[in-house]
Amino acid sequence: MRKMLHALLLPVILLLLLTSCNTETTHYNYTFKGEGEIWSGVYKQEASRKLITKKEKVKSETSNRYTFDLHYKGKQSDLGEIKQFKYGFKGMGRSSSRMEEGPVRINMLHMEGYGNAAFEYEDSVIKVTVEWDGQKEEFELKNEK
């Protein structure tokens, strides 16, 4: 009898734990692309929001990771001639920029980050600005649906 009681006790405890705490995770994994006359960009995001319901209280946890790559549409050797260079992006959930002096190297045209802050949604538009040696180009990145 005692063995039977122990055998039933564990499933009952597990059932109580499962019903008292409920989680629901939504993923926001998107790729945003766009281009101007001279530059193009790709912003990739892997994000999720977890809603945790415990004892009738709802808690939200977010996490996200992004990469942003800027591409020059001309000859790569032309990048070495640039003296002053600034580029960045601004979305609904995040923005970032970089400023460099001297020749531009391809590995400088990459940004990445992660955290638990805001993130982009499916219909977000990310604005990109590139400035170099007195020239400026702006374009938008939109989600590939």
Side-chain angles (χ1 to χ4, degrees):
M1 179 75 166
R2 190 173 178 148
K3 286 184 181 182
M4 191 170 154
L5 185 60
H6 284 289
L8 289 174
L9 188 58
L10 182 60
V12 169
I13 290 172
L14 288 174
L15 185 62
L16 285 173
L17 287 174
L18 288 174
T19 58
S20 67
C21 183
N22 187 16
T23 63
E24 179 183 328
T25 302
T26 306
H27 297 278
Y28 302 89
N29 301 335
Y30 304 119
T31 299
F32 299 84
K33 291 184 176 182
E35 62 182 79
E37 212 173 293
I38 300 171
W39 300 91
S40 67
V42 177
Y43 180 96
K44 292 183 181 181
Q45 167 186 278
E46 294 177 4
S48 64
R49 173 177 286 138
K50 185 185 293 187
L51 295 177
I52 302 167
T53 306
K54 189 173 184 177
K55 296 182 182 178
E56 298 182 23
K57 292 182 181 179
V58 178
K59 179 181 166 186
S60 175
E61 293 178 359
T62 60
S63 67
N64 64 70
R65 174 173 161 50
Y66 79 91
T67 60
F68 174 71
D69 291 296
L70 184 68
H71 304 281
Y72 181 61
K73 294 166 76 174
K75 295 179 191 174
Q76 296 301 309
S77 59
D78 294 344
L79 290 175
E81 298 175 15
I82 296 174
K83 303 286 186 249
Q84 291 186 331
F85 184 71
K86 179 180 178 182
Y87 76 103
F89 65 87
K90 183 174 183 174
M92 293 178 66
R94 179 182 308 274
S95 65
S96 186
S97 65
R98 285 196 178 158
M99 185 172 183
E100 302 287 337
E101 288 193 24
V104 175
R105 297 178 309 279
I106 291 176
N107 64 345
M108 292 170 39
L109 305 178
H110 175 80
M111 293 183 206
E112 62 183 69
Y114 59 92
N116 56 3
F119 50 83
E120 304 304 323
Y121 289 93
E122 183 178 16
D123 60 348
S124 295
V125 174
I126 300 170
K127 297 183 185 288
V128 177
T129 303
V130 185
E131 298 177 55
W132 69 104
D133 295 340
Q135 298 182 61
K136 182 176 183 178
E137 182 170 74
E138 297 177 316
F139 57 94
E140 295 179 343
L141 308 178
K142 295 184 179 177
N143 182 25
E144 290 187 323
K145 294 185 181 182

